[in-house]
Amino acid sequence: MIEVESLTRVYGNLLAVDGVSFSVKKGEVVGLLGHNGAGKSTIMKMLTGYLEPTAGTIRINGLEMGRDTRAIQAKLGYLPENCPVWPDMTVIDYLAYQADLHAVPRERRDASVARAIRRTALEAKATARIETLSRGYRQRLGVAQAILHDPAIVILDEPTNGLDPTQVQGMRRLIRELAEKATVILSTHVLQEVRAVCERVLIMRGGKLVLDQRLEDLDRAGGLRLVTDRNLEKPLRALQGIRSLQPAAAADGNFTYEIDADATVAPSVARVVHDAGAQLYLLEPRRRDLEAVFAEVNEEVAHAA
């Protein structure tokens, strides 16, 4: 559905997005994750046609951004990081205006506005002026304008920004509901939001895409951890199937090893311990989840600096 190839954006001397390529299938919920300044919002602005790339192409359903921008935008719902609203308008009037901008047929306009208000829990504020709304309610209003025309693609930039914990739970439920019919791209710097609603994660760092992987593949065994009472580094390194071995600092007379290998090597590791007459205190899969991967990515930056 979405094909991004070598996407680049330069602001003066700043390379904000550097040759990013990825694709998103119909019905996927994808999290665009990274620290502030990683390039997430810039990518979203280019995906929605609000910002022109310096280089690269964006294709959506066979249409190309630039050549077919208006046709693509008609299929999109977009919540920017700072959603523009008119403070002197009421919630319901603002959404009716947005429905006109999205070319929602007049016979469906009232029903579309009412549904958007209901889905974002704005009923109590429907007739309130926007200038009286809290930050959380304004954020929900931004989401309401993004979804009121039932877009095929929903792009949300920090959708839980300013929401309290109860509102965050409601937003997560809404995103899951949207994903039943639409493709959703969610930008955030909050790991919990990606883990709660996304199937796949794209991690940005310094304008580059450094990871593109499904969460279920991330949450897998990433090797083995061994704790024993003897130094077994030499026989362990000799085992077939061990890609690398990292001894950790000895504590209480014990030895810890971080082993990069498939879980199928575990019986051979246990046999080495047994044959050496050593005590086996721990042999377990080492998990490599989203938090660990994100930390690794940013530790690499710190070391490079």
Side-chain angles (χ1 to χ4, degrees):
M1 173 171 265
I2 302 173
E3 296 285 341
V4 173
E5 185 175 349
S6 301
L7 198 62
T8 301
R9 177 67 195 192
V10 178
Y11 295 100
N13 295 324
L14 174 64
L15 182 58
V17 175
D18 185 6
V20 170
S21 299
F22 62 87
S23 62
V24 180
K25 296 178 182 177
K26 182 178 180 181
E28 277 194 299
V29 183
V30 177
L32 187 59
L33 182 62
H35 287 308
N36 291 332
K40 306 185 304 296
S41 293
T42 301
I43 285 179
M44 291 201 152
K45 290 175 184 177
M46 290 189 285
L47 284 177
T48 54
Y50 287 92
L51 183 65
E52 184 177 349
T54 303
T57 58
I58 300 169
R59 294 184 181 89
I60 297 178
N61 279 354
L63 302 174
E64 185 171 327
M65 193 68 75
R67 183 188 66 200
D68 308 302
T69 299
R70 291 295 180 87
I72 291 174
Q73 288 177 332
K75 302 175 184 295
L76 299 177
Y78 176 41
L79 171 69
E81 187 173 9
N82 297 299
C83 187
V85 291
W86 282 263
D88 57 335
M89 297 182 76
T90 65
V91 167
I92 196 166
D93 287 341
Y94 170 75
L95 292 176
Y97 172 61
Q98 288 292 327
D100 283 341
L101 293 180
H102 286 297
V104 176
R106 284 198 168 271
E107 63 271 17
R108 287 174 32 211
R109 188 186 69 181
D110 290 348
S112 296
V113 169
R115 185 165 180 254
I117 288 174
R118 184 174 63 254
R119 294 172 86 186
T120 53
L122 281 167
E123 295 96 332
K125 300 294 183 179
T127 59
R129 289 164 64 96
I130 294 173
E131 64 186 356
T132 68
L133 299 182
S134 67
R135 181 185 178 118
Y137 275 114
R138 289 194 185 204
Q139 189 73 351
R140 282 194 267 173
L141 178 59
V143 175
Q145 65 80 29
I147 66 175
L148 66 85
H149 57 302
D150 290 323
I153 301 169
V154 181
I155 297 178
L156 305 172
D157 196 351
E158 302 285 356
T160 58
N161 192 17
L163 302 186
D164 63 36
T166 300
Q167 293 169 342
V168 167
Q169 293 298 322
M171 186 62 67
R172 290 175 179 175
R173 286 192 296 270
L174 175 59
I175 291 171
R176 295 188 192 103
E177 177 189 329
L178 291 172
E180 294 175 4
K181 295 182 179 180
T183 299
V184 180
I185 300 178
L186 163 71
S187 170
T188 183
H189 62 277
V190 182
L191 295 173
Q192 294 92 323
E193 296 310 309
V194 172
R195 194 172 58 242
V197 299
C198 297
E199 307 164 34
R200 182 170 146 224
V201 62
L202 308 175
I203 298 183
M204 295 290 300
R205 183 191 72 197
K208 293 180 179 290
L209 180 63
V210 294
L211 184 92
D212 178 355
Q213 200 159 12
R214 293 184 63 82
L215 288 179
E216 64 183 10
D217 295 330
L218 278 180
D219 190 18
R220 71 188 193 282
L224 299 167
R225 178 176 288 109
L226 168 68
V227 180
T228 183
D229 65 340
R230 294 194 186 180
N231 185 346
L232 301 177
E233 182 174 352
K234 187 174 180 179
L236 287 171
R237 288 191 184 278
L239 280 179
Q240 190 172 15
I242 290 185
R243 293 181 287 268
S244 66
L245 182 74
Q246 181 64 46
D252 299 328
N254 296 328
F255 294 83
T256 299
Y257 300 94
E258 302 292 343
I259 303 170
D260 182 10
D262 295 333
T264 55
V265 177
S268 298
V269 172
R271 193 174 302 113
V272 166
V273 177
H274 177 270
D275 291 348
Q279 295 294 318
L280 177 59
Y281 295 126
L282 178 71
L283 179 59
E284 65 178 5
R286 187 179 57 186
R287 309 307 296 181
R288 187 173 181 264
D289 58 14
L290 179 60
E291 285 77 3
V293 171
F294 191 72
E296 288 171 11
V297 163
N298 289 286
E299 282 173 9
E300 289 172 9
V301 175
H303 292 155

